[in-house]
Amino acid sequence: MANASPPDDGGPAGGADPRTAGTSHAGVVAVGVPTGGAASDVVGLGRARAVAFVAPALLLIGVFLLFPALWTLYIGATDYERTGPKHVSPSFVGVDNYTDVLADPSFYNSLGLTLLFVGFSAVVGQNGLGFALAWSLRNVTGWVRRTVETLVLFAWILPGSVVAFLWIAMLDRDGGTVNAMLGTPGLAWLVDYPMASLVVFNIWRGTAFSMMLYGAALSSVPPSQLETARLAGASGPQTLRDIVFPHIRGHALTNTLLITLWTFNDFSPFLLTAGGPGDDSEIVSVYVYNTAIRDGRLGYSGAISLLVLVANIALALLYLRMLRKRRIP
């Protein structure tokens, strides 16, 4: 008579799956879970394929960001010019361009005008008007909301050359729309008030981004807290200060960072005033262009560009530091 088979106790001899061999009932090891150094490779690409996957992005960053920065650093240390002998064989001048820039009153004039332009048109104007529009439209629906958003977005998406032509026509001395509406014939806005005109222009042009960002941020404010504040008799400013701003301050800092950097490097004012009259509206971006293209001093303009890059990095780090400190716990 054949011997009866021993009962299957789940051990290796009992026909158990060899993948679970060696495991005890007290500590089961998950099958297929990477351990050790492989735990970070959650996608399973492997190092070589992961590098190949990000290589196109790294190439684009190198071509469009790293190389121009290194090229600017190089020409900023030479007396490179747009034409002439120094264009063919520039000489190395070290830090002479940087010392000349830091001693140039025109540089400080352009920097001051840029800070004025950024502060009034972006930090105050676009921020304030963008939030005001988003707050006013939060409960508005239908064609009114769509019309307002469309009109604001049009100013943002139109090409800069088209927008500049429209504003030059509006601010024309003789047949301009603004003079006709205000009854001020003969007033040359772009000549008599160049920076004020540029500030208003940039507010009108860039408010759409702030409006959309704040519109999305306001949706994160709990309606129950707004209702509680209303029932408690809180005024509008009190509701904004105590309920709304604590929830959207991270978005506000992010928006301010982006529009500050964009406005700091904006070249659209050149299309309206070209930095004039004289240098009354020559912000940094226009100053770099005029120095490089009009005057042909590419090495000198390279030094200015590198200093502007350092200023942009400093502004970005300042905003990021504020953002980390003021993040809602």
Side-chain angles (χ1 to χ4, degrees), residues 139-163:
N139 295 322
V140 178
T141 58
W143 68 270
V144 175
R145 183 188 184 98
R146 290 194 298 270
T147 301
V148 174
E149 290 179 341
T150 301
L151 291 176
V152 176
L153 283 171
F154 262 138
W156 193 40
I157 65 177
L158 287 175
S161 57
V162 174
V163 173

Side-chain angles (χ1 to χ4, degrees), residues 242-265:
D242 299 330
I243 304 297
V244 176
F245 287 154
H247 283 87
I248 69 168
R249 56 189 174 186
H251 299 83
L253 285 172
T254 301
N255 178 68
T256 306
L257 167 62
L258 294 175
I259 62 178
T260 295
L261 295 179
W262 291 341
T263 304
F264 199 99
N265 301 283

